Amino acid sequence: MEKRELKKIVSVFKTNIQKQQLNRLTAALNNSNKITRWTIDFEDCDHILRIESHEIISDEVIAKLTAIGFKAEELND
C-alpha cells in the first residue's frame, strides 16, 4: 500500500503581535490540531506570521487571533 503525501499549505499574515505577547500566541496556535508548524518573524516590520497546515485555515487563524486581541491580515503571493 502506497503512502499518500499530504499537501502542505502555507498561509502568511501581517500582524501586530509583539515579542512580549508570544505566550498568548503560542497558547492559541498550539491548541489547534490543524496547524502543523508556525513561525513569526519579529525582525520584519510587519511581524510576519507563517502557518503551515494541510488545509486552508486562513479565516480560522484570523478569527482566533482577533479573539485574543491581535490584528492579522493575510498576505497573498
Side-chain angles (χ1 to χ4, degrees):
M1 188 178 234
E2 184 178 324
K3 273 191 175 181
R4 202 170 57 162
E5 284 289 317
L6 292 174
K7 183 177 179 183
K8 178 172 73 170
I9 297 172
V10 178
S11 303
V12 181
F13 303 88
K14 173 182 174 179
T15 73
N16 67 338
I17 300 164
Q18 303 297 313
K19 278 187 182 179
Q20 62 269 26
Q21 299 167 314
L22 195 54
N23 286 341
R24 278 187 7 215
L25 176 68
T26 300
L29 297 182
N30 287 352
N31 194 26
S32 172
N33 59 359
K34 294 181 181 181
I35 296 172
T36 56
R37 183 173 186 264
W38 64 270
T39 60
I40 187 160
D41 182 358
F42 290 113
E43 299 295 319
D44 188 289
C45 65
D46 290 326
H47 299 197
I48 298 298
L49 173 65
R50 288 178 181 79
I51 304 236
E52 292 180 17
S53 61
H54 295 296
E55 59 186 282
I56 297 172
I57 59 169
S58 301
D59 290 341
E60 290 175 47
V61 169
I62 291 171
K64 188 176 286 250
L65 293 179
T66 300
I68 60 172
F70 296 124
K71 292 181 183 175
E73 174 187 336
E74 185 172 18
L75 302 176
N76 296 316
D77 294 339

Coordinates of all heavy atoms in Angstrom, one line a residue:
M1 N 0.8 -1.2 0.0 CA 0.0 0.0 0.0 C 0.9 1.2 0.0 O 1.8 1.4 0.8 CB -0.9 0.0 1.2 CG -1.9 1.0 1.2 SD -3.0 0.8 2.7 CE -4.5 0.8 2.0
E2 N 0.6 2.2 -0.9 CA 1.5 3.4 -1.0 C 1.0 4.5 -0.1 O -0.2 4.7 0.0 CB 1.4 3.8 -2.5 CG 2.3 5.0 -2.8 CD 2.2 5.3 -4.3 OE1 2.1 4.4 -5.1 OE2 2.2 6.5 -4.6
K3 N 1.9 5.1 0.5 CA 1.5 6.3 1.4 C 1.3 7.5 0.5 O 2.1 7.8 -0.4 CB 2.7 6.6 2.4 CG 2.6 5.9 3.6 CD 3.6 6.5 4.6 CE 3.5 5.8 5.9 NZ 4.4 6.3 6.9
R4 N 0.3 8.2 0.8 CA 0.0 9.4 0.0 C 0.5 10.7 0.8 O 0.2 10.8 2.0 CB -1.5 9.6 -0.2 CG -1.9 10.4 -1.4 CD -3.3 10.3 -1.7 NE -4.1 10.7 -0.6 CZ -5.4 11.0 -0.6 NH1 -6.0 11.0 -1.7 NH2 -6.0 11.3 0.5
E5 N 1.2 11.5 0.1 CA 1.7 12.7 0.8 C 0.6 13.7 0.9 O -0.2 14.0 0.0 CB 2.8 13.4 -0.1 CG 4.2 12.7 0.0 CD 4.8 12.8 1.3 OE1 4.8 14.0 1.9 OE2 5.4 11.9 1.8
L6 N 0.5 14.3 2.1 CA -0.5 15.4 2.3 C 0.1 16.7 1.7 O 1.3 17.0 1.9 CB -0.8 15.6 3.7 CG -1.6 14.4 4.4 CD1 -1.7 14.7 5.9 CD2 -3.0 14.3 3.8
K7 N -0.7 17.5 1.1 CA -0.3 18.8 0.6 C -0.1 19.7 1.7 O -0.9 19.8 2.6 CB -1.3 19.3 -0.4 CG -1.0 20.6 -1.1 CD -2.0 21.0 -2.0 CE -1.6 22.3 -2.7 NZ -2.7 22.8 -3.6
K8 N 1.1 20.5 1.6 CA 1.4 21.5 2.7 C 0.9 22.8 2.2 O 1.2 23.2 1.1 CB 2.9 21.5 3.0 CG 3.3 22.6 4.0 CD 4.7 22.5 4.4 CE 5.6 22.9 3.3 NZ 7.0 23.1 3.7
I9 N 0.1 23.5 3.0 CA -0.4 24.8 2.6 C 0.3 25.8 3.6 O 0.2 25.6 4.8 CB -1.9 24.9 2.7 CG1 -2.5 24.0 1.7 CG2 -2.4 26.3 2.6 CD1 -4.0 23.8 1.9
V10 N 0.9 26.9 3.1 CA 1.5 27.9 3.9 C 0.7 29.2 3.7 O 0.5 29.7 2.6 CB 3.0 28.2 3.5 CG1 3.6 29.3 4.3 CG2 3.8 26.9 3.6
S11 N 0.2 29.7 4.9 CA -0.5 31.0 4.9 C 0.4 32.0 5.6 O 1.0 31.7 6.6 CB -1.8 30.8 5.7 OG -2.6 29.8 5.1
V12 N 0.4 33.2 5.1 CA 1.3 34.3 5.6 C 0.4 35.5 6.0 O -0.5 35.9 5.2 CB 2.3 34.7 4.5 CG1 3.2 35.8 5.0 CG2 3.1 33.5 4.0
F13 N 0.7 36.0 7.2 CA -0.1 37.1 7.7 C 0.8 38.2 8.2 O 1.8 38.0 8.8 CB -0.9 36.6 8.9 CG -1.8 35.4 8.6 CD1 -1.3 34.1 8.7 CD2 -3.1 35.6 8.2 CE1 -2.2 33.0 8.4 CE2 -4.0 34.5 7.9 CZ -3.5 33.2 8.0
K14 N 0.3 39.4 8.0 CA 0.9 40.6 8.6 C 0.1 40.8 9.9 O -1.1 40.7 10.0 CB 0.6 41.8 7.7 CG 0.9 43.2 8.2 CD 0.6 44.2 7.3 CE 0.8 45.6 7.8 NZ 0.4 46.7 6.9
T15 N 0.9 41.0 11.0 CA 0.3 41.0 12.4 C 0.8 42.2 13.2 O 1.8 42.9 12.8 CB 0.5 39.8 13.2 OG1 1.9 39.7 13.6 CG2 0.2 38.5 12.4
N16 N 0.2 42.4 14.3 CA 0.7 43.4 15.3 C 1.2 42.8 16.5 O 1.3 43.4 17.6 CB -0.5 44.4 15.6 CG -1.6 43.8 16.4 OD1 -1.8 42.6 16.3 ND2 -2.4 44.6 17.0
I17 N 1.5 41.5 16.5 CA 2.0 40.7 17.6 C 3.4 41.2 18.0 O 4.3 41.4 17.2 CB 2.0 39.2 17.3 CG1 0.6 38.8 16.9 CG2 2.5 38.4 18.5 CD1 0.5 37.4 16.2
Q18 N 3.6 41.4 19.3 CA 4.9 41.8 19.9 C 5.5 40.6 20.6 O 4.8 39.7 21.0 CB 4.7 43.0 20.9 CG 4.0 44.2 20.3 CD 4.8 44.8 19.1 OE1 6.0 45.0 19.3 NE2 4.1 45.1 18.0
K19 N 6.8 40.7 20.7 CA 7.6 39.6 21.4 C 7.0 39.3 22.8 O 6.9 38.1 23.2 CB 9.1 39.9 21.5 CG 9.8 39.6 20.3 CD 11.3 39.8 20.5 CE 12.1 39.5 19.3 NZ 13.5 39.7 19.4
Q20 N 6.7 40.3 23.5 CA 6.2 40.1 24.9 C 4.8 39.4 25.0 O 4.4 39.0 26.0 CB 6.2 41.4 25.7 CG 5.4 42.5 25.2 CD 6.0 43.4 24.2 OE1 7.0 43.0 23.6 NE2 5.5 44.6 24.1
Q21 N 4.2 39.3 23.8 CA 2.8 38.7 23.7 C 2.9 37.2 23.2 O 1.9 36.6 22.9 CB 1.9 39.5 22.8 CG 1.7 40.9 23.3 CD 1.1 41.8 22.3 OE1 1.5 41.8 21.1 NE2 0.1 42.5 22.7
L22 N 4.1 36.7 23.0 CA 4.3 35.4 22.4 C 3.6 34.3 23.2 O 3.1 33.3 22.5 CB 5.8 35.1 22.3 CG 6.3 34.0 21.3 CD1 5.7 34.2 20.0 CD2 7.8 33.9 21.3
N23 N 3.5 34.4 24.5 CA 2.9 33.3 25.3 C 1.4 33.2 24.9 O 0.9 32.1 24.7 CB 3.0 33.6 26.8 CG 4.4 33.3 27.3 OD1 5.2 32.6 26.6 ND2 4.7 33.8 28.4
R24 N 0.7 34.3 24.7 CA -0.7 34.2 24.3 C -0.8 33.6 22.9 O -1.7 32.8 22.6 CB -1.3 35.6 24.2 CG -1.7 36.1 25.6 CD -2.5 37.4 25.6 NE -2.9 38.0 24.3 CZ -2.9 39.3 24.1 NH1 -2.6 40.1 25.0 NH2 -3.3 39.8 22.9
L25 N 0.1 34.0 22.0 CA 0.1 33.5 20.6 C 0.3 32.0 20.6 O -0.4 31.2 20.0 CB 1.1 34.2 19.8 CG 1.2 33.7 18.3 CD1 0.0 34.0 17.5 CD2 2.5 34.3 17.7
T26 N 1.3 31.6 21.4 CA 1.7 30.2 21.4 C 0.6 29.3 21.9 O 0.2 28.3 21.4 CB 3.0 30.0 22.3 OG1 4.0 30.7 21.8 CG2 3.4 28.5 22.4
A27 N -0.1 29.8 23.0 CA -1.2 29.0 23.6 C -2.3 28.9 22.5 O -2.9 27.8 22.4 CB -1.7 29.7 24.8
A28 N -2.6 29.9 21.8 CA -3.7 29.9 20.8 C -3.4 29.0 19.6 O -4.2 28.2 19.2 CB -4.0 31.3 20.3
L29 N -2.2 29.1 19.1 CA -1.8 28.3 17.9 C -1.5 26.9 18.2 O -1.8 26.0 17.4 CB -0.7 29.0 17.1 CG -1.0 30.4 16.6 CD1 0.2 30.9 15.9 CD2 -2.2 30.4 15.7
N30 N -0.9 26.6 19.3 CA -0.5 25.2 19.6 C -1.8 24.4 20.0 O -1.7 23.2 20.0 CB 0.5 25.2 20.7 CG 1.9 25.6 20.3 OD1 2.1 25.8 19.1 ND2 2.8 25.7 21.2
N31 N -2.9 25.1 20.3 CA -4.1 24.5 20.7 C -4.9 23.9 19.4 O -5.8 23.2 19.5 CB -5.0 25.4 21.4 CG -6.1 24.8 22.1 OD1 -6.1 23.6 22.5 ND2 -7.2 25.5 22.3
S32 N -4.4 24.3 18.2 CA -5.1 23.9 17.0 C -4.5 22.6 16.5 O -3.2 22.6 16.3 CB -5.0 25.0 16.0 OG -5.4 24.5 14.7
N33 N -5.3 21.6 16.2 CA -4.8 20.4 15.6 C -4.6 20.5 14.1 O -4.1 19.6 13.5 CB -5.6 19.2 16.0 CG -7.0 19.3 15.5 OD1 -7.4 20.3 14.9 ND2 -7.9 18.3 15.8
K34 N -5.0 21.6 13.5 CA -4.9 21.8 12.0 C -3.6 22.4 11.7 O -3.1 22.2 10.5 CB -6.0 22.7 11.5 CG -7.4 22.0 11.7 CD -8.5 23.0 11.1 CE -9.8 22.4 11.3 NZ -10.9 23.2 10.7
I35 N -2.9 23.1 12.6 CA -1.6 23.7 12.3 C -0.5 22.7 12.5 O -0.4 22.2 13.6 CB -1.5 25.0 13.2 CG1 -2.5 26.0 12.9 CG2 -0.1 25.6 13.0 CD1 -2.6 27.2 13.8
T36 N 0.3 22.5 11.5 CA 1.4 21.6 11.7 C 2.7 22.3 12.1 O 3.6 21.7 12.7 CB 1.7 20.8 10.3 OG1 1.9 21.8 9.3 CG2 0.5 19.9 10.0
R37 N 2.8 23.6 11.7 CA 4.0 24.4 12.1 C 3.7 25.8 11.9 O 2.9 26.2 11.1 CB 5.2 24.0 11.2 CG 6.5 24.6 11.5 CD 7.6 24.0 10.6 NE 8.9 24.6 11.0 CZ 9.5 25.6 10.4 NH1 8.9 26.2 9.4 NH2 10.6 26.1 10.8
W38 N 4.3 26.7 12.8 CA 4.1 28.1 12.6 C 5.4 28.8 13.1 O 6.1 28.3 13.9 CB 2.9 28.6 13.4 CG 2.9 28.5 14.9 CD1 2.5 27.4 15.6 CD2 3.4 29.4 15.8 NE1 2.7 27.7 16.9 CE2 3.3 28.9 17.1 CE3 4.0 30.7 15.7 CZ2 3.6 29.5 18.2 CZ3 4.4 31.4 16.9 CH2 4.2 30.8 18.1
T39 N 5.6 30.0 12.5 CA 6.8 30.8 12.9 C 6.3 32.3 12.8 O 5.4 32.6 12.1 CB 8.0 30.7 12.0 OG1 7.6 31.0 10.6 CG2 8.5 29.2 12.0
I40 N 7.0 33.1 13.5 CA 6.7 34.6 13.4 C 8.1 35.3 13.3 O 9.0 34.9 14.0 CB 5.9 35.1 14.6 CG1 5.5 36.6 14.4 CG2 6.6 34.9 15.9 CD1 4.3 37.0 15.1
D41 N 8.1 36.2 12.4 CA 9.4 37.0 12.2 C 9.3 38.4 12.8 O 8.6 39.3 12.2 CB 9.6 37.1 10.7 CG 10.9 37.8 10.3 OD1 11.6 38.3 11.2 OD2 11.2 37.9 9.1
F42 N 9.8 38.5 14.0 CA 9.8 39.8 14.7 C 10.8 40.8 14.1 O 10.7 42.0 14.4 CB 10.1 39.7 16.2 CG 8.9 39.0 16.9 CD1 9.1 37.7 17.4 CD2 7.7 39.6 17.0 CE1 8.1 37.1 18.1 CE2 6.7 38.9 17.7 CZ 6.9 37.7 18.2
E43 N 11.7 40.3 13.3 CA 12.7 41.2 12.6 C 12.0 42.0 11.5 O 12.4 43.1 11.1 CB 13.9 40.4 12.0 CG 14.7 39.7 13.1 CD 15.4 40.6 14.1 OE1 15.9 41.6 13.6 OE2 15.3 40.3 15.3
D44 N 11.0 41.5 10.9 CA 10.2 42.1 9.8 C 9.3 43.2 10.5 O 8.7 42.9 11.5 CB 9.4 41.1 9.1 CG 8.7 41.6 7.8 OD1 7.8 42.4 8.0 OD2 9.1 41.3 6.7
C45 N 9.2 44.3 9.9 CA 8.3 45.4 10.4 C 6.9 45.0 10.5 O 6.1 45.6 11.3 CB 8.5 46.7 9.7 SG 8.0 46.6 7.9
D46 N 6.5 44.0 9.7 CA 5.1 43.6 9.7 C 4.8 42.4 10.6 O 3.7 41.8 10.6 CB 4.6 43.3 8.3 CG 4.5 44.6 7.4 OD1 4.1 45.6 8.0 OD2 4.7 44.5 6.2
H47 N 5.8 42.0 11.3 CA 5.7 40.8 12.3 C 5.0 39.7 11.6 O 3.9 39.2 12.0 CB 5.0 41.2 13.6 CG 5.8 42.3 14.3 ND1 5.6 42.5 15.6 CD2 6.8 43.1 13.9 CE1 6.4 43.5 16.0 NE2 7.1 43.9 15.0
I48 N 5.6 39.2 10.5 CA 5.1 38.2 9.6 C 4.9 36.8 10.3 O 5.8 36.3 10.9 CB 5.9 38.0 8.4 CG1 6.0 39.3 7.6 CG2 5.4 36.8 7.5 CD1 4.6 39.8 7.0
L49 N 3.7 36.3 10.3 CA 3.3 35.0 10.9 C 3.1 34.1 9.7 O 2.3 34.3 8.8 CB 2.0 35.1 11.7 CG 1.4 33.8 12.2 CD1 2.4 33.2 13.2 CD2 0.1 34.1 12.9
R50 N 3.8 32.9 9.7 CA 3.7 31.9 8.7 C 3.1 30.7 9.4 O 3.6 30.2 10.4 CB 5.0 31.6 8.1 CG 5.5 32.6 7.2 CD 6.9 32.3 6.6 NE 7.4 33.3 5.7 CZ 8.0 34.5 6.2 NH1 8.1 34.7 7.5 NH2 8.4 35.4 5.3
I51 N 2.0 30.1 8.8 CA 1.3 29.0 9.3 C 1.3 27.9 8.3 O 1.0 28.1 7.1 CB -0.1 29.3 9.7 CG1 -0.1 30.5 10.6 CG2 -0.9 28.1 10.1 CD1 -0.8 30.3 11.9
E52 N 1.8 26.7 8.6 CA 1.7 25.5 7.8 C 0.6 24.6 8.2 O 0.4 24.4 9.4 CB 3.0 24.7 7.8 CG 4.2 25.5 7.2 CD 5.5 24.7 7.2 OE1 5.4 23.5 7.4 OE2 6.5 25.3 7.0
S53 N -0.2 24.1 7.3 CA -1.3 23.2 7.6 C -1.5 22.3 6.3 O -0.9 22.5 5.3 CB -2.6 24.0 7.9 OG -3.0 24.8 6.8
H54 N -2.5 21.4 6.4 CA -2.8 20.6 5.3 C -4.2 20.9 4.7 O -4.7 20.2 3.8 CB -2.9 19.1 5.8 CG -1.5 18.6 6.2 ND1 -0.4 18.5 5.4 CD2 -1.1 18.2 7.4 CE1 0.6 18.1 6.0 NE2 0.3 17.9 7.3
E55 N -4.7 22.1 5.2 CA -5.9 22.6 4.6 C -6.0 24.1 4.7 O -5.2 24.6 5.5 CB -7.2 21.9 5.3 CG -7.2 22.2 6.8 CD -8.4 21.4 7.4 OE1 -9.5 21.9 7.3 OE2 -8.1 20.4 8.0
I56 N -6.8 24.7 4.0 CA -6.9 26.2 4.1 C -7.6 26.6 5.4 O -8.8 26.2 5.6 CB -7.7 26.8 2.9 CG1 -6.9 26.4 1.6 CG2 -7.9 28.3 3.0 CD1 -7.6 26.8 0.3
I57 N -6.9 27.3 6.3 CA -7.5 27.7 7.6 C -7.3 29.2 7.9 O -7.4 29.6 9.0 CB -6.9 26.8 8.7 CG1 -5.3 27.0 8.8 CG2 -7.3 25.4 8.6 CD1 -4.7 26.4 10.0
S58 N -7.1 30.0 6.8 CA -6.8 31.4 7.0 C -7.9 32.1 7.8 O -7.5 32.9 8.7 CB -6.6 32.1 5.6 OG -5.6 31.5 4.9
D59 N -9.1 31.9 7.5 CA -10.2 32.6 8.2 C -10.2 32.2 9.7 O -10.4 33.0 10.6 CB -11.6 32.2 7.6 CG -11.7 32.9 6.2 OD1 -11.0 33.9 5.9 OD2 -12.6 32.4 5.5
E60 N -9.9 30.9 9.9 CA -9.9 30.4 11.3 C -8.8 31.1 12.1 O -8.9 31.4 13.3 CB -9.7 28.9 11.4 CG -10.9 28.1 10.9 CD -10.6 26.6 10.8 OE1 -10.1 26.1 11.8 OE2 -11.0 26.0 9.8
V61 N -7.6 31.2 11.5 CA -6.4 31.8 12.1 C -6.7 33.3 12.4 O -6.5 33.7 13.5 CB -5.2 31.7 11.2 CG1 -4.1 32.6 11.8 CG2 -4.7 30.2 11.1
I62 N -7.3 34.0 11.5 CA -7.6 35.4 11.7 C -8.7 35.5 12.8 O -8.5 36.4 13.7 CB -8.1 36.1 10.4 CG1 -7.0 36.2 9.4 CG2 -8.8 37.4 10.7 CD1 -7.4 36.6 8.0
A63 N -9.7 34.7 12.8 CA -10.7 34.7 13.9 C -10.1 34.4 15.3 O -10.4 35.1 16.3 CB -11.8 33.7 13.6
K64 N -9.2 33.4 15.3 CA -8.5 33.0 16.6 C -7.7 34.2 17.1 O -7.7 34.5 18.3 CB -7.7 31.8 16.3 CG -7.1 31.2 17.6 CD -6.3 29.9 17.3 CE -7.3 28.8 16.9 NZ -7.3 27.7 17.9
L65 N -6.9 34.8 16.2 CA -6.0 35.9 16.6 C -6.8 37.1 17.0 O -6.5 37.8 18.0 CB -5.0 36.3 15.5 CG -4.0 35.2 15.1 CD1 -3.1 35.7 14.0 CD2 -3.2 34.8 16.4
T66 N -7.9 37.4 16.3 CA -8.8 38.5 16.7 C -9.4 38.3 18.0 O -9.5 39.3 18.8 CB -9.9 38.7 15.6 OG1 -9.2 39.0 14.3 CG2 -10.8 39.9 15.9
A67 N -9.8 37.1 18.3 CA -10.4 36.8 19.6 C -9.5 37.0 20.8 O -10.0 37.3 21.9 CB -10.9 35.3 19.6
I68 N -8.2 36.9 20.6 CA -7.3 37.1 21.7 C -6.6 38.5 21.6 O -5.6 38.7 22.3 CB -6.2 36.0 21.8 CG1 -5.4 35.8 20.5 CG2 -6.9 34.7 22.2 CD1 -4.2 34.9 20.7
G69 N -7.1 39.4 20.7 CA -6.7 40.8 20.7 C -5.7 41.2 19.7 O -5.1 42.3 19.8
F70 N -5.4 40.3 18.8 CA -4.4 40.7 17.7 C -5.0 41.0 16.4 O -6.2 40.6 16.2 CB -3.4 39.5 17.5 CG -2.6 39.1 18.7 CD1 -2.6 37.8 19.2 CD2 -1.8 40.0 19.3 CE1 -1.9 37.4 20.3 CE2 -1.0 39.7 20.4 CZ -1.1 38.4 20.9
K71 N -4.3 41.8 15.6 CA -4.7 42.0 14.2 C -3.9 41.1 13.3 O -2.7 41.0 13.5 CB -4.5 43.5 13.9 CG -5.3 44.5 14.6 CD -5.1 45.9 14.2 CE -5.9 46.9 15.0 NZ -5.6 48.2 14.7
A72 N -4.6 40.6 12.3 CA -3.9 39.8 11.3 C -4.6 40.0 10.0 O -5.8 40.0 9.9 CB -4.0 38.3 11.7
E73 N -3.7 40.2 9.0 CA -4.2 40.3 7.6 C -3.4 39.4 6.7 O -2.2 39.3 6.7 CB -3.9 41.8 7.2 CG -4.2 42.1 5.7 CD -3.7 43.5 5.3 OE1 -3.6 44.3 6.2 OE2 -3.5 43.6 4.1
E74 N -4.2 38.5 6.0 CA -3.5 37.5 5.2 C -2.8 38.2 4.0 O -3.4 39.1 3.4 CB -4.5 36.5 4.6 CG -3.8 35.4 3.9 CD -4.7 34.2 3.5 OE1 -5.9 34.4 3.5 OE2 -4.1 33.2 3.1
L75 N -1.6 37.9 3.7 CA -0.9 38.4 2.5 C -0.9 37.3 1.4 O -0.7 36.1 1.7 CB 0.6 38.7 2.9 CG 0.7 39.7 4.0 CD1 2.2 39.8 4.4 CD2 0.1 41.0 3.7
N76 N -1.2 37.8 0.2 CA -1.2 36.9 -0.9 C 0.1 36.9 -1.6 O 0.9 37.8 -1.5 CB -2.3 37.2 -1.9 CG -3.7 37.1 -1.2 OD1 -4.0 36.1 -0.6 ND2 -4.6 38.1 -1.4
D77 N 0.4 35.8 -2.4 CA 1.7 35.7 -3.1 C 1.9 36.9 -3.9 O 1.9 37.5 -4.6 CB 1.7 34.4 -3.9 CG 1.7 33.2 -3.1 OD1 2.0 33.3 -1.9 OD2 1.3 32.1 -3.6

